[in-house]
Amino acid sequence: MSKAARPNTNAAAIDDDGGKVRLDKWLWAARFFKTRGLAADAIEGGRIRLKSERVKLSHAVRVGEHYSVSQDGFLWEILITAISDQRGNATAAALLYRESPESIEARALEVAKRKAAFSAGATFNHRPTKRDRRDLIKYFQPKD
């Protein structure tokens, strides 16, 4: 078999016609988590939601479903556009989902807020005291 006739085994296997893949495997393939174990822990912890409902670890992902993924203080609102059970490069992973514009804007706002807190002197030369922690929590609380 010549090199040109070989199938590309490094690319993610994308299946648009409704193949069944477990949610933890899909999250790993879409590069939300470095390992399937971390993805499984997030699902069990309730940080992955389908229509604001908790899902089970063995939930089968389907094209067209809306999920919210919470990780490290960020929230992604995504729509599944393709199914894959293989982890590929970042460009292949980006084809598996589409993020809502509101989610992108909210994450950008959170990044800006974190940068502002860092530049405002929220770094410590020592372990934060109870007062320091309270000040940080007060700073990050949403204003009503």
Side-chain angles (χ1 to χ4, degrees), residues 20-91:
K20 293 189 178 187
V21 174
R22 288 170 53 111
L23 180 58
D24 62 332
K25 198 173 214 182
W26 186 89
L27 288 167
W28 169 75
R31 293 183 164 264
F32 281 100
F33 297 96
K34 286 188 176 187
T35 65
R36 282 184 62 192
L38 291 174
D41 290 344
I43 294 167
E44 291 293 323
R47 294 189 311 256
I48 313 298
R49 296 189 173 260
L50 170 66
K51 299 175 188 169
S52 70
E53 296 283 327
R54 289 180 71 150
V55 291
K56 291 186 177 182
L57 189 61
S58 62
H59 175 77
V61 177
R62 292 180 191 88
V63 173
E65 288 182 332
H66 291 273
Y67 288 91
S68 59
V69 178
S70 176
Q71 182 183 22
D72 297 330
F74 294 106
L75 182 68
W76 282 268
E77 296 289 335
I78 60 171
L79 170 71
I80 307 296
T81 57
I83 307 291
S84 176
D85 64 349
Q86 293 180 359
R87 188 174 174 103
N89 58 20
T91 54

Side-chain angles (χ1 to χ4, degrees), residues 126-141:
H126 60 283
R127 183 175 176 188
T129 63
K130 192 179 226 180
R131 176 185 275 173
D132 293 335
R133 272 197 330 264
R134 286 180 181 156
D135 289 342
L136 282 172
I137 290 169
K138 194 183 300 180
Y139 180 81
F140 282 110
Q141 289 294 323

